[in-house]
Amino acid sequence: MKLKSLLLAMAAVVCSSALFAQNREKTKPLTDEQWMSLAPTPPMGWNSWNKFGCNVSENLIKDIADAMVSSGMKDAGYEYVVIDDCWQIDRDENGVIVCDPERFPNGMKAVADYVHGLGLKFGIYSCAGTHTCQGRPGSMGYQFIDAKTYAEWGVDYLKYDWCDNEGQNARAAYLTMANAIKATGHPIVFSICEWGENQAWEWGKGIGHLWRVTPDIRACYDCKFDWGGVGVLGCIDAMAPLHEYAGPGHWNDAEMLEVGNGEMTKDEQISHFAMWCMLAAPLMSGNDLRDMSLQTIEILTNKEAIAVNQDPLGKQAVLFMDMDGHDRQIWAKPLANGEIAVCFLNRGRDTWNLDYNWLNQTMYFATEINFRTNEYNIRDLWAHKDLGTSKGRLVADINPHGCLMVRLSRTGM
Ligand code: GLA
């Protein structure tokens, strides 16, 4: 018992040493405008939970950050390295959160500094309830102390969960934490994780920068669990009706990626990633970046697909056509400069022998896309080749659970 108290006291000192170096000048709270500008495009990064669960440590996070750089992920646009649940172990006598001294022997600021040293950003996890989902100390009642601690560590991203919430009003609970962060004056992207239970899309804009819309994802294409877990298709279906709620600074979160995890086929993993790009969903990889197959790297770093996700117009794709009992779907995402991304998603078990005549289609977005008056070049974003123009037919065989994702840009422009 004595040893535990000693360890905790030491950890409290290491974890909170930055407290002594507080800036003495009065901090200026972030303005609403600054707050809204923190995620102009969907955040991209990595989160520990899907692959590692509670098995997080300083060494793991440093190695993952190194791998994010050496694998080409950083070049492709990934920047946040986020530690999910289980880094925290207690609070000290001042209520300051204490990180696990065995797993983070140098404290969290040292980890943040290391990640920043690689030109990346650092994220952390807490919970609006009394405890996190793994029973660690939550932030309820400690929001302002925690936000201050995170700011002093240099945290750039906070995922904020909803376990043990004691029946709080969700909007009020998330607003309290947003206000606590803003008060520090330190820019922190705020990720609301209430699993869609309180329809965060209806009130989340201006409070958080992204919000979950489903229970936890599992590394499978079309699976459902009694306890609420969802597969890739479940996430896509939950996102479908919510396109109007997404835009620069406020995103529907389709859940963290499972590319490189589990047993999904190559086609399933490509469809997973392609659809997250179409849906303007945050791209938080959830696999072991230290140990990736070439296929996993190619999927996660497909720059043409990522450009669709990161398009500055910030529109989420709409389900344009839903056919054959949802087996065959056409999704369309308006892009900046009048371009458009289209994804033919084959959710069925049979090959889709596509023979598509653009001339029969008109797509309505902010502006009408009329294929009779305008001709578009068609580019296949996974084969990385041009497929003619919208005056011709688009003929392709799309594998079961696969997709064809194309980008349309006006000819002669
Ligand atoms: C919840 C969240 C997950 C993960 C775990 C951690 O289930 O939805 O994404 O953060 O908690 O305990």
Side-chain angles (χ1 to χ4, degrees), residues 49 84-85 125 133-134 159 161 193 195 212 216 255-256:
W49 183 254
D84 207 280
D85 209 345
Y125 161 101
C133 296
Q134 299 303 312
K159 172 175 167 183
D161 218 331
C193 178
W195 322 305
R212 283 267 297 275
D216 292 4
E255 244 294 42
M256 302 178 294

